[in-house]
Amino acid sequence: LLSSPAFAGKADVIDVKVTIEAAGTYRFDVTIRSDDTGWEKYADRFEVLSPDGAVLGTRVLAHPHETEQPFTRELSGVAVPRHVKQVLLRAHDKVEGFGGREMTVPLP
């Protein structure tokens, strides 16, 4: 059996748009690609992390997206310390866990 290292069952972050909100917090529009098969296996959340690994925000994904791939969801109101100039975004699969494609993005 052959598998693609670029997409081997884990949830991949494939695009991120970052916006500064009026309150000085950030909004992240995150596009994820995953091989959701239904309630047993799907991308169930994504996280925004600081460079030192601290979780700054989490968006729980409450249902599978097997017929909507890739899909984009937002997370707003994320407070980021002033000294942080970039963040890491990663997605979690209910079965595979973390380990898919992550993206490091600069903050505007």
Side-chain angles (χ1 to χ4, degrees):
L1 294 174
L2 298 175
S3 66
S4 168
F7 188 59
K10 299 183 188 316
D12 295 322
V13 175
I14 61 171
D15 193 36
V16 178
K17 178 183 173 192
V18 184
T19 308
I20 299 175
E21 299 173 309
T25 56
Y26 291 86
R27 173 184 165 133
F28 297 89
D29 291 277
V30 180
T31 302
I32 297 169
R33 181 182 61 212
S34 63
D35 65 347
D36 293 12
T37 59
W39 289 102
E40 305 79 36
K41 183 181 179 342
Y42 68 96
D44 61 356
R45 71 178 183 267
F46 68 84
E47 296 180 339
V48 179
L49 293 93
S50 67
D52 66 1
V55 176
L56 303 173
T58 301
R59 167 71 191 259
V60 173
L61 304 170
H63 60 85
H65 297 87
E66 69 268 26
T67 60
E68 180 190 357
Q69 291 292 324
F71 63 94
T72 302
R73 294 297 179 269
E74 58 89 15
L75 173 62
S76 59
V78 179
V80 178
R82 289 192 119 137
H83 69 279
V84 172
K85 304 299 180 206
Q86 63 184 18
V87 294
L88 174 77
L89 286 104
R90 66 181 183 179
H92 183 271
D93 179 273
K94 187 175 179 180
V95 172
E96 302 288 332
F98 292 112
R101 180 177 173 201
E102 300 175 343
M103 288 190 77
T104 299
V105 295
L107 297 177

